[in-house]
Amino acid sequence: MKRRTVERNPGLVSWAEAVPFFGDGTADRLLEKVRDLRKKATIYPADEQVFHAFCRTPFDQVNVVIVGQDPYHGKGQAHGLAFSVPQGVNAPPSLRNILREVADDTKKNPESQGTDLSDWADQGVLLMNTLLTVEEAKPMSHRNLGWGTLTSQAISELSRQRDHLVFLLWGSKAQSLSSLIDCTRHLILAAAHPSPLSAYRGFFGCRHFSKANAWLESRGLEPVRW
C-alpha cells in the first residue's frame, strides 16, 4: 500500500519528497480509514479531492499559505481547497467575508470575484485545511482521525525548506501553528477568523492580501492576483 496515494495522484510527488506523511505510507493508511467511514456516512470532500490543495499547489511552488479549519460539511460545497467552493455554489459566510476583504484591500470589483479559489492555488497559494475530511452536517467530526500529522509536517517542512513564504493565520486554531514557522525567514500575518462571529474583531481591515503581495514583491517574487 505504501505511496499508493502518490502513485494515483502525480501532483503529490513534490510533497512526498518533502513531507514524510506522503512518503511513508501514512497518507495511504489514513485515506483507507476515510474510505471505511464512507461506507457508513456521507463524507466530504469526494475521495479524489481529499488532497486537492496539495495536488494543485506543488511543494516547490508555494508562496502563500492560507490555513482553514475543516471542509465545508454541506452537499456540493467542499472540493479540497480551504474556504473555496465550486463555481456556481453560493459562497458560505466565511468566504463571503474573505471576498469582501479582498475587494476592500485590493480595490477589486466584487462582481468579478468567483467562489472557486482554484486560480489562487495555481498561483502558489496553498489553501490547506487543518482537517481534510468531515462527515456531512458534523463540523470537526474528523478532528481525531489523524490529519494533524499532515498539518504539522506540511507547515514545518515549508518553513524549513523554503524561503520568503507568507503564512495567513486566521483565528486561534490557525495561529496555534505559528510556533512551527521560522519568523526570521517568513512572514506571518495573523487576524481574527473570517467567520461572521469574529470577522468584525480584526479580520475586516487586516489588509492581508496587499501585505502579502508587498512582501513577495520586495523579494523579487510575483504578487498574487487575488
Side-chain angles (χ1 to χ4, degrees):
M1 184 187 295
K2 188 175 181 180
R3 292 193 58 160
R4 186 177 301 168
T5 299
V6 177
E7 292 171 0
R8 292 175 176 172
N9 299 274
L12 291 174
V13 169
S14 67
W15 286 97
E17 293 172 348
V19 177
F21 180 91
F22 289 110
D24 65 8
T26 304
D28 299 310
R29 291 189 291 272
L30 188 44
L31 207 55
E32 283 303 316
K33 285 185 184 179
V34 175
R35 286 169 180 154
D36 286 340
L37 291 172
R38 290 184 192 277
K39 298 173 184 177
K40 306 172 184 177
T42 299
I43 307 296
Y44 300 124
D47 188 72
E48 65 274 11
Q49 293 180 321
V50 171
F51 297 119
H52 186 197
F54 298 90
C55 291
R56 195 94 190 202
T57 311
F59 182 87
D60 57 355
Q61 294 180 23
V62 175
N63 289 322
V64 179
V65 180
I66 295 179
V67 179
Q69 188 166 287
D70 63 341
Y72 295 121
H73 51 84
K75 183 177 180 180
Q77 293 180 314
H79 66 143
L81 302 178
F83 295 109
S84 177
V85 295
Q87 201 62 31
V89 175
N90 289 333
S94 291
L95 177 56
R96 286 202 302 271
N97 289 339
I98 290 170
L99 297 179
R100 170 180 165 180
E101 178 61 21
V102 168
D104 290 345
D105 187 16
T106 66
K107 310 307 178 186
K108 184 174 182 178
N109 182 353
E111 295 181 0
S112 70
Q113 296 175 291
T115 59
D116 186 342
L117 305 182
S118 295
D119 182 57
W120 294 7
D122 292 340
Q123 296 177 72
V125 180
L126 178 64
L127 296 163
M128 182 186 74
N129 280 316
T130 54
L131 308 178
L132 268 61
T133 55
V134 67
E135 184 174 340
E136 184 177 38
K138 294 184 178 180
M140 300 296 292
S141 51
H142 287 182
R143 60 185 175 276
N144 297 320
L145 205 59
W147 290 120
T149 300
L150 172 56
T151 302
S152 298
Q153 289 184 5
I155 296 293
S156 296
E157 294 306 319
L158 283 167
S159 175
R160 186 177 71 85
Q161 299 184 43
R162 299 292 313 284
D163 290 308
H164 310 315
L165 302 184
V166 182
F167 292 85
L168 306 186
L169 306 180
W170 300 331
S172 59
K173 287 185 174 62
Q175 289 161 23
S176 68
L177 299 170
S178 62
S179 61
L180 303 175
I181 303 167
D182 182 351
C183 61
T184 67
R185 293 166 50 220
H186 306 289
L187 176 64
I188 299 174
L189 296 175
H193 193 276
S195 161
L197 298 176
S198 55
Y200 287 94
R201 298 202 299 268
F203 179 76
F204 289 136
C206 69
R207 300 186 65 239
H208 278 186
F209 305 97
S210 60
K211 289 177 181 178
N213 277 351
W215 167 275
L216 294 173
E217 290 183 290
S218 71
R219 284 150 181 81
L221 301 171
E222 287 292 321
V224 179
R225 299 183 306 277
W226 299 107

